[in-house]
Amino acid sequence: MTATVGQQAQAAARASDVWKVYGSGEAQVVALRGVNAEFERGRFTAIMGPSGSGKSTLMHCLAGLDSVTRGTVMIGETTVTGLGDSGLTKLRRDKVGFIFQQFNLLPTLTAQENILLPLSIAGRKPDPAWYDTVIDTVGLRDRLGHRPAQLSGGQQQRVACARALVARPEVIFADEPTGNLDSRSGAEVLNFLRNSVREHGQTIVMVTHDPTAAAYADRVVFLADGEIVSELIEPTAETVLDTMKKLDTPAEVAN
Amino acid sequence: MVRATLKSLLARKVRLLLSGLAVVLGVMFVSGAFVLTDTLGRSFDAVFADGFSDVDVNVAGKPKVALSEAEGEQVATPVPAAVLEQVKTVPGVAEAKGVVNADGARLIGSNGKVVASFGPPQLGENWLGESDLVTLREGREPRADGEIVVNAALAKAAKVKVGDRVGVLTLAPKQEFTLVGVFGYSGGRDSIGGVNEVAFTTPVAQRLMLGEPDVFTSITAQATDGTSPESLRDAVAGALGGQYEVKTGEQVAADASASLKEGLSFINKVLLGFAAVALLVGTFLILNTFSIIVAQRTRELALLRAIGASGRQVIGSVVLEAVAVGLIASVLGLGAGIGVGALLAYLFGKLAGGLAVAGLGVPAAAVIGAFSVGLVITVVAALLPALRASRIPPIAAMQDVANPDRPLTRVTVGGAVVTAIGAGLLFLGLGGHAGDNTLATILGGVLFAFIGVALLTPLISRPVVSLLGAIFAWSVPGKLGRLNSGRNPRRTAITAAALMVGIALVTGVTVILDSAKSSISSLATDTIKADLVIAGAQSGPRPPSFDPAVLDKAATLPGVQLVDGEYGDMAVVNGTRTWVAASSNVAALERIFGTKATAGDISRLAPDQLLLSSDTASARNLSVGSTVTVQLSRGDARTYTVSGIYESSQLTNPMVLPPQAVRDFAMPQPIQGFVQLAPGTRVEDVQPQVERLLADSPEVTVVDLGSFVKQQTSQLDTPLRMIQILLALAIAIAVLGIVNTLALSVLERTRELGLLRAIGLRRAQTMRMITVEAVVISLFGALLGVVVGSGLGAAVVRALKDEGITKLVLPWSQMGTFLILATIVGVVAAVLPAVRAARINVLGAIAHD
C-alpha cells in the first residue's frame, strides 16, 4: 500500500519510488522498497514503525544524509538524489534543520552560539525579530550564555530545536528527539515543535517509536518492512498504539 | 585480563604506532651511538695493529708536554741517533731502524692549495724501504735531499704524479721537492686509516719534521727468531735505562688506538645526549597518547571494574600495554640504530679519507641500552595514565562520561615546585657553586626546568591559546578550531611542551653562541688596531701557519707602520699546562692590541723574560720579578723572569714569551700576523703586496680586520648548525606528537564532526577547523620554546659575563622563523587528521543505533 496525501505543490519533501538496498548477494538487506511519500508544508508528520522497519533510513534518505539505491528524493524544489557532497552540504545548510536524539550540541559553544551555528557556517545573519520569537518560544533567554554541560537534557534539546528553527529551513527532521528525555521534558519539546508548526508554519518530519510522541503530530505514516503500510490523520496515542499493534507481528523478522 | 588487554591493544595498533615511533627514534639514537663507537673503535684497532705489524719493540722519548687528542698534536721527544746504535747491540735484536715520523707534512696540491685533513695525521717521515706492508707502486725510492715519495692516497688527493715538482710545508716554510715515487700498502690499499704520508731521505726528514739533525722519533727493533717481543722489550729497556718508553709493537698499537678511542667516547656522549632529548620529547608523546587512550576507554575500563576487575588489574592492563609497545619499539629502534650506526661509521670512514671500517658488530651496550631505555621510558610514561585509569569508578560504565574538567591546582603547584628546583639548580650550576658537578647540575637544572614548565603549561595554555587562536577566529571553522585547541588544556599543553623542548634548546644555544660572537667581535673590532690580518681557517689539529720571513718583508712595504706575528704553543709552566704565546714584536701588545700594563714594563722583552696577563698572575700568585720554569713542546725546560703584567681581556693570551723561545714551539712559524698601516695609507694599496708575499704560504690569506673577525667568529657556526640538525629530530618527534593528538581528538569527536557536517559545515571548512587547531597548538609550543630558550640562554650569557660575553643577543629573526616554521608544521601535522575528519561518514557519526 502506498500513501499519497496532500497537494503536490505544497510538498516540502517528497520521496518517489525510493529503494534502499544494503550489501549485495547473500548479505543483501532491503531497507526501503519503493516508498512514495509526500510531506506537506506547514504540517507536523511523524514516521512510525517497529525497529528495523526502515523509518530511520527513510528519514536519512529524505534529509540527504544517505543515498538512495533507486528513486528520487526532493526537498522543496531541489532534487536531492544525485547531489555530490558539496551540494548535499549546501542543502543541509540552507534547506534542512536537524534535531537528533543526542549529541546535538557542540560542547565548546554556548547555547546562543550553538543556536546561531548553522547561520554562521553559512555566513548569514539571523532575522532579529524571528530570533527573538524563537528564543522566547523555547524559553531559554536566561540560559543563552551557558555551555551544554551546564544545561539539563530537556534544555539541551530545546536549544537544538531553536537551532533548527532559527534558520527557517524548508523542513526540520527530528530523529527520536525525546528518546533520551523524561516524559515531562519530552512533552515540553513536543509541545514546542507542534507550536512552531501551528503558529509559524514550520514543516517538521519526526521519526519516533513512542505513540505518545506521535500523537503530537498532524499525521502519522507507518512503515513496516521498508514499505508504507498505513497512515493516520489527527492521531491520538490510542489510535497510534492500535495501528502499531496490528503491524508488530509480521515485522519481527527484520533487522 | 591479559587476553583482554592484548586484544584491545591489537584493536588500536594504529593509534599506538605514532607514539611508538617516538620511542623507536630515541632508541635508535641510543643504540646507533653504541654501534658507531664500537665499529669505529674496532676499525682503529685494526689500523694500528696493521701499522705496527712488523715492529717487535718500539723505543720512544717521553713527551715533554703530554696532550690528549682533543688538545692538539703531541710532540714526541726525539731519540738521539746514538740510541739506535745502542739498541742494535742489545742481544736478541735482529734489526733496528731509526724512524722519523711526525704529523705536519702538508703537501701543496696541483691546484696550489694544501691538501687538507679532517682528522687523520699528515705524516712526514724518513723512507725506510719496502716491507711486507709498504711497496712502491711507481717510480723509485728518494735518494737525494730534493726527492720525496708519497702514499697513493695523497698522490690522488693532491693530483700529483711521479716527476712533478711539489711543495711541502713542514716545520719550515714551503720547500720544493721532486716526486720520485708513489707507494701503497699490502692488500692494494692506498692509505692506512686515511693517513697521508710524505717520505723524505732521513736527514731531510730529521731537519724538517723534528727540527734537529741526528735524532729520530722512535727506534723500532725486530727480534731474532726465538726471542719473544716481551723479553726483547725488557732487554732493550734494561740496556737504555728509564729515560725512554720501551714497548712492544702490540702495546704501542693498543695505546695509540686507545687515545683515539677517547675522542670517540666524546662522540658517543654527544649522541647519547641527543638521544636523551629525543626520549624526553618521546616521553611527553607517550604520556599524552596513553592519557587520551585511557580517557577514551573510560567506559571499557569501568565495565571491567564493574564485572569485578580490581584497580590493580586495571593498572596492570595499561602497563602491560605499555610494555608491549615499548618492547616492539625497542626492537625496531635497535634495528634502525644498528643501521644508522653502520651508516654513520661508513660516512665517517669516507670523511676520514678511506678508513677501512670494521665489520658490523652489535655491542651488548647497544642491546641493553635499547631495551632498558625503550621499556623504561614507555612504562614510566604510561604509569600516570594507568593510575588514573585505576581510579575510574565502575559506575562510569553506566553514565555518559565525557572528559571531566579536572582542576589544575595540583599540576600547577607541582609545576611551580619543579620549575623552582630547576631554577635553583641552574643558579647553583651557572653561579659556579657546584664545583666539579657544574655540568651535571646545569643539565639537571635544564631538565627540571623543562618538566616544570611542561607542568605549568596547562595553566597558561587557556589564555595563550585563546589569544593565539584569536588570529584565526574571523571565520567559523577558525573559531571552532580555536575553541577545540583550548578544550583540553592538559592535552594541548603536553603536545605543545614536546615541541617546546626542541625549540627551546635550539633557541638557547643560538642565544649563547650569538651573544658570544657579538661580544667577541665587537671587542675585537674595538680594540685591535690592525688594518690587515694574516690568518687561515683551522681544519685539523694544527692551526695554519706561514713563513716568518713574510713578517720582515711586510714591515719594509711602503705605508706599513707596524707588523706583528703571533706564535702559540702548549707548554708546562711551573708544573701545569697552559697555552703560551710569543710575539715577533712585543711592542705590538700595546700599539696594536691596546693592552695596558698593570705592573712592570710590557713594551720590551729580554730573551729570559716573559709577560703575564693579570688573571694568570693572580691565579698563579706571581708578580713582577718572580721566576717561572717553562717547558715547551721541544727542547729543555728554561727559567724566565716575569718582567711585566698586562690587563686581561677576552683577547689576551695567558702569557707572552720572547721571540727567541719560538724555536722550541711545536710549530715554530707564526699562526697569525697583524699589519698596522701608517695614517693615510689605503688598505687596498698594501693588501695585494702582502698577498704576493704569502704566495708560498697557501694555508693563510691576508684580509682586513672586519673579515678576520668574521672569519674567526664564524667558527662558532659549525657547532651551532650541527646542534640545530640534531635537535631537528626532537622537533620532528614533537610534530609526530601533534599528528597523534589531533588524530586521537578527531576520533574522539567523531559524533561532533558528524553533527557539524549534518548542519552544513563543508569538507573544506572541516579541514580548516582541524588545521587551525594544529597551528594553534604548534604556535603555542614554538612560543613557549622561544621564551623558555631565550630565558635559559640569557641565564647562561649572564653567568658568562666574567668570561667576556658582555652582550646579550636575542636572535629575533630566527625566533620569527621558528614561529613561521611552527605554523607550517601545524599545517603539515593537520593534513592526515583533517582529511580523516573531512571524510567522516555523517550518517555513521550521528546514527545512534
Side-chain angles (χ1 to χ4, degrees), chain A residues 22 56 60 65-66 85 89 92-93 98 100-109 113 117-118 120-121 147 163 175-176, chain B residues 400 476 479-480 483-484 487 751-763 765 838 841-843 846-849:
Chain A
Y22 293 106
S56 287
H60 292 150
L65 289 172
D66 206 351
D85 181 72
T89 305
R92 292 197 297 260
R93 203 178 67 191
F98 285 103
F100 300 111
Q101 184 178 3
Q102 54 182 350
F103 289 103
N104 251 319
L105 307 176
L106 283 200
T108 46
L109 301 181
E113 286 168 327
L117 187 59
S120 353
I121 290 174
R147 295 268 172 88
R163 184 191 63 208
D175 191 357
E176 305 268 14
Chain B
D400 190 21
V476 175
K479 194 179 163 198
L480 292 171
L483 287 170
N484 281 339
R487 197 155 164 181
R751 291 198 145 175
E752 245 178 86
L753 289 161
L755 173 73
L756 278 166
R757 295 276 289 127
I759 61 170
L761 198 71
R762 278 185 283 115
R763 276 198 172 140
Q765 288 177 310
N841 177 351
V842 181
L843 190 58
I846 55 172
H848 53 81
D849 44 325

Side-chain angles (χ1 to χ4, degrees), chain B residues 340-383:
Chain B
V340 166
L343 180 74
L344 285 179
Y346 169 78
L347 290 176
F348 187 95
K350 276 268 174 200
L351 197 74
L355 174 69
V357 175
L360 183 65
V362 182
V367 179
I368 296 167
F371 281 97
S372 51
V373 160
L375 275 179
V376 168
I377 292 280
T378 324
V379 171
V380 164
L383 218 51

Side-chain angles (χ1 to χ4, degrees), chain B residues 280-282 284-285 493-503 730-731 733-734 737:
Chain B
L280 176 65
V281 175
F284 283 128
L285 185 46
I494 296 182
T495 312
L499 188 60
M500 166 196 79
V501 172
I503 291 188
I731 295 174
I733 294 176

Side-chain angles (χ1 to χ4, degrees), chain A residues 144-165:
Chain A
L144 286 177
H146 288 50
R147 295 268 172 88
Q150 299 162 307
L151 298 173
S152 73
Q155 286 168 335
Q156 287 186 30
Q157 211 57 338
R158 279 189 279 152
V159 171
C161 294
R163 184 191 63 208
L165 275 171

